[in-house]
Each structure stands twice: as structure tokens, then as C-alpha cells.
């Protein structure tokens, strides 16, 4: 069920440059069901900005929702000003998440994230681990000062960091790390910018994969067509990222 709830803000902290971790408490947190879904957050208390901001659910459970977001534009900067003991107007949980059951227990699963595509992989990694799957993380960032959750991911499994400027981990892109991995994976999951998703999918041909797309959105619930992407996999020729996704099996969305 999609809920519109005023959730309690119980934590807000800057965990890297302009990257915030927001903890919310409310009933919605126990209705997420699967990792990779998202919420639509009203930025302020007025109608300005009018549109909600879509943010992935980084983790959930025990009445708590964790969101990790970059405060870059107007709306997310307003969200970053929410203080502990305040409230946030949240619509969700929305969309379809990552299928944990696609990974075979006892095997390794590859999780590849770029920038603000990294957060939903954390909740996914926790559920994979609980299901007896070994997660291997490859996380890409622009530079050292915007890297987040390296320790948290490392506690769950092997974790590789790539930065474009080489200030942390391997210099270059996530694909530069992928080339050096020698593991066999039963499945891969990825979230990040489109060129990264394309490169990851191309490099992992032959392995089952799931990609999460971060399209611009209006309504977030399938009513406005703001988020449509082309597909050859249905008669309509398009999918709505908000309600058919944001996670799709690799190959479904044309990239
Ligand atoms: C399913 C989904 C999950 C996401 N998860 C995260 C997350 O976990 N952490 C995070 O930091 N970001 C995430 N994003 C991206 C985030 O929604 C945008 O960065 C944010 O909406 C930008 O708003 P703004 O107020 O900073 O910018 P503004 O420039 O004020 O935004 C103007 C409008 O453009 C939209 N917009 C701008 N950039 C993006 C973008 N990259 N993707 C989608 N809409 C955009 C805004 O929603 C708003 O409607 C996600 C996007 C989607 C679709
Ligand atoms: S955002 Fe309105 S249909 Fe997807």
C-alpha cells in the first residue's frame, strides 16, 4: 500500500561533502518489503518547490527509514535543512525494487553503484547477506570527499572504491575495477548514471542483471508520463520508471 505519511525526523547528518543521511521514523518504514524502492519527499512545508523529490530507500526496518541524498539543487537543499524532531511529508514506498531471490544462496552477487546510485545497494546488500549470498561491492565516486558508507559496505563484504580523480581507491570508473575482478557471479545489480549502467550491462553480458534507473519524475505514481523510457519488450514501446521500475531486468530498457 502506498502511504502519505508525516514521518518523524530522528537523524540528519552530513556524511560526505553535500551528502546527507536522513533517518525517518514511521509506519511506512515497515512496509518497504524489498530493497531498491523509493520515496517521494516533499521538500518544504509549503508548495514551493511544488514537485516532490524521489529518493531511494537506503535501508529500512524496525520503524526506521534511511535516505542518503546529495543536497545539490533547490529542493534537496531544503530537505537538508530539516532538523531532528521535525517532520517530513513522505509518499511511498514506491516502485519495484531489486529481486533478492535472483541471487543463488552460497554464490557471489556483484553490486555496482555510482554516486547517488550507491544508497539503494546498501539495503540490498544487507538482504542478500541475510539470504546467504556473498555480496561484492564496486562503488564509484568523483573524488575522496564525496565517498560515503565505505565502512558500512565493507562490513557486509568485499568492497572496491573507484574515484574519477584517483583520490581514493582505484583511479577511474567502476568498469576499471570490474575488469580486474576474477570472481564468478550468479547475478549483478547496478544503480547509477545511464552511461555507467550501459557500460556495466555491456561488460556483464551473459550474467543475469538488474538495473535501477534514476529518471526525472513528476508524480512518482504512474500518472503523468514524465519518466517514460523506451523499451522493445512490450507492445506500448515504453515503460514508466516510477511504477514499472525503477529496477528493470537488464535489456528491458533501451539505453
Ligand atoms: C527512483 C530515484 C531514486 C533516486 N534516489 C536518489 C538517492 O537515493 N539519493 C540522491 O541523492 N538522489 C537520488 N535520486 C536523484 C534525486 O531525485 C535528484 O537528485 C533530486 O530530485 C534533485 O532535486 P534537487 O532539488 O536537488 O534539484 P533541482 O534542480 O531543484 O530539481 C529540479 C527538478 O528536477 C528533478 N531532478 C533533478 N535532477 C534529477 C535526477 N538526477 N534524477 C531525478 N530527478 C531529478 C527534481 O526531482 C525536480 O523535480 C533519485 C532519483 C530517482 C528517480
Ligand atoms: S513520474 Fe509520473 S508517470 Fe512516472
Amino acid at each position: 500500500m502506498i502511504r502519505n505519511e508525516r514521518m518523524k525526523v530522528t537523524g540528519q547528518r552530513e556524511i560526505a561533502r553535500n551528502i546527507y543521511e536522513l533517518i525517518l521514523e514511521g509506519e511506512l518504514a515497515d512496509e518497504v518489503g524489498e530493497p531498491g524502492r523509493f520515496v517521494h519527499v516533499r521538500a518544504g512545508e509549503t508548495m514551493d518547490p511544488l514537485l516532490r523529490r524521489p529518493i531511494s530507500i537506503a535501508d529500512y526496518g524496525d520503524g526506521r527509514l534511511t535516505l542518503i541524498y546529495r543536497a545539490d539543487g533547490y529542493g534537496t537543499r531544503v530537505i537538508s535543512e530539516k532538523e531532528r524532531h521535525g517532520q517530513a511529508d513522505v509518499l511511498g514506498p514506491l516502485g519495484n525494487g531489486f529481486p533478492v531471490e535472483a541471487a543463488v544462496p552460497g554464490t557471489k552477487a556483484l553490486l555496482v553503484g555510482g554516486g547517488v546510485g550507491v544508497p539503494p545497494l546498501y539495503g540490498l546488500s544487507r538482504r542478500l547477506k541475510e539470504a546467504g549470498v556473498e555480496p561484492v561491492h564496486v562503488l564509484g565516486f568523483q573524488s575522496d570527499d564525496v565517498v560515503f558508507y565505505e565502512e558500512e559496505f565493507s562490513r557486509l563484504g568485499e568492497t572496491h572504491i573507484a574515484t574519477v580523480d584517483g583520490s581514493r581507491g582505484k583511479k577511474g570508473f567502476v568498469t576499471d575495477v570490474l575488469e580486474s575482478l576474477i570472481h564468478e557471479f550468479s547475478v549483478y545489480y547496478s544503480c547509477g548514471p545511464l552511461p555507467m549502467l550501459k557500460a556495466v550491462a555491456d561488460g556483464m553480458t551473459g550474467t543475469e542483471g538488474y538495473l535501477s534507473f534514476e529518471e526525472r519524475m513528476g508524480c512518482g505514481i504512474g500518472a503523468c508520463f514524465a519518466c517514460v523510457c523506451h523499451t522493445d519488450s512490450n507492445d506500448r514501446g515504453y515503460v514508466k520508471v516510477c511504477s514499472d521500475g525503477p529496477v528493470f531486468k537488464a535489456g528491458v530498457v533501451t539505453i
Side-chain angles (χ1 to χ4, degrees), residues 15 20-23 32 34-39 55-61 64-69 98 116-127 148-149 152-153 156:
I15 55 173
Y20 290 79
E21 179 198 64
L22 176 65
I23 312 281
V32 177
E34 61 184 9
R37 302 182 77 192
F38 68 101
V39 287
I55 302 181
S56 301
I57 297 169
D59 204 9
Y60 57 93
R64 282 159 57 105
L65 208 63
T66 305
L67 309 182
I68 298 171
Y69 63 96
F98 292 110
V116 292
V118 168
L121 300 182
Y122 181 67
L124 170 65
S125 182
R126 289 208 335 135
R127 269 76 197 176
F148 58 89
Y149 265 42
E152 285 83 347
F153 278 101
L156 296 170

Side-chain angles (χ1 to χ4, degrees), residues 38 51-56 68-70 72-77 116 119-120 213-217 246:
F38 68 101
L51 292 178
R52 291 170 180 268
R53 297 317 194 237
I55 302 181
S56 301
I68 298 171
Y69 63 96
R70 181 166 55 215
D72 230 2
Y74 176 46
T76 48
R77 277 203 302 273
V116 292
F213 292 80
E214 295 191 339
E215 262 320 293
R216 281 177 179 251
M217 290 184 179

Side-chain angles (χ1 to χ4, degrees), residues 217-220 222-227 240 242:
M217 290 184 179
C219 68
C224 75
F225 286 76
C227 64
K240 292 178 186 174
C242 68

Side-chain angles (χ1 to χ4, degrees), residues 219-232:
C219 68
I221 52 169
C224 75
F225 286 76
C227 64
V228 292
C229 285
H230 183 260
T231 183
D232 291 323

